[in-house]
């Protein structure tokens, strides 16, 4: 259904350091660096048929996060959910919504962790037991 997800940043190099570490937990390698015709730098992390991108805003205004928006990264295990969280926090992210762990919902039990990246974008590590 989705082709890609892109978030904005006001500091592309800080975002690169953060996402290199965080997405590295999931096995993503170096991003493709692209300069738009208008001069904005973008980073495209392509992994396992998915693309996650970080971009300087094209309109020249400050980057902002979406209120109510969350980007969920599928993890292979409960341990990877915690590792994603811990690496994010170690690289400038902020832990939110409680400690990583098992949570029950109307969608069933799942392991979750939540952080905000240095620009305030909300990220989730998620593993659904089989």
């Amino acid at each position: 259904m989705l082709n890609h997800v892109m978030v904005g940043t006001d500091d592309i190099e800080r975002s690169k350091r953060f996402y290199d570490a965080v997405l590295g937990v999931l096995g993503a390698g170096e991003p493709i660096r692209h300069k738009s015709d208008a001069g904005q730098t973008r980073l495209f992390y392509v992994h396992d048929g998915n693309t996650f991108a970080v971009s300087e805003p094209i309109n020249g205004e400050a980057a902002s996060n979406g209120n109510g928006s969350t980007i969920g990264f599928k993890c292979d295990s409960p341990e990877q959910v915690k590792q994603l969280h811990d690496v994010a926090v170690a690289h400038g992210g902020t832990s939110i919504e409680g400690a990583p762990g098992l949570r029950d919902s109307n969608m069933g039990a799942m392991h979750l962790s939540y952080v905000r990246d240095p620009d305030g974008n909300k990220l989730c590590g998620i593993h659904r037991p089989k």
Side-chain angles (χ1 to χ4, degrees), residues 44-109:
F44 293 91
Y45 294 86
V46 181
H47 175 66
D48 200 23
N50 301 289
T51 302
F52 179 81
V54 182
S55 178
E56 297 169 326
I58 292 175
N59 65 4
E61 295 182 15
S64 61
N65 54 52
N67 186 18
S69 300
T70 303
I71 300 166
F73 292 104
K74 185 169 40 172
C75 295
D76 293 330
S77 66
E79 294 78 18
Q80 194 176 43
V81 168
K82 183 169 182 346
Q83 183 183 13
L84 186 86
H85 170 272
D86 293 350
V87 167
V89 170
H91 287 84
T94 304
S95 181
I96 59 172
E97 298 188 25
L102 185 64
R103 301 184 191 183
D104 198 17
S105 73
N106 61 351
M107 296 177 62

Side-chain angles (χ1 to χ4, degrees), residues 15-62:
S15 287
K16 182 177 184 315
R17 289 187 301 273
F18 178 84
Y19 283 108
D20 281 0
V22 171
L23 299 180
V25 170
L26 303 176
E30 275 291 307
I32 298 166
R33 186 179 287 262
H34 174 263
K35 183 80 84 171
S36 73
D37 291 340
Q40 290 79 21
T41 299
R42 299 172 175 175
L43 305 172
F44 293 91
Y45 294 86
V46 181
H47 175 66
D48 200 23
N50 301 289
T51 302
F52 179 81
V54 182
S55 178
E56 297 169 326
I58 292 175
N59 65 4
E61 295 182 15

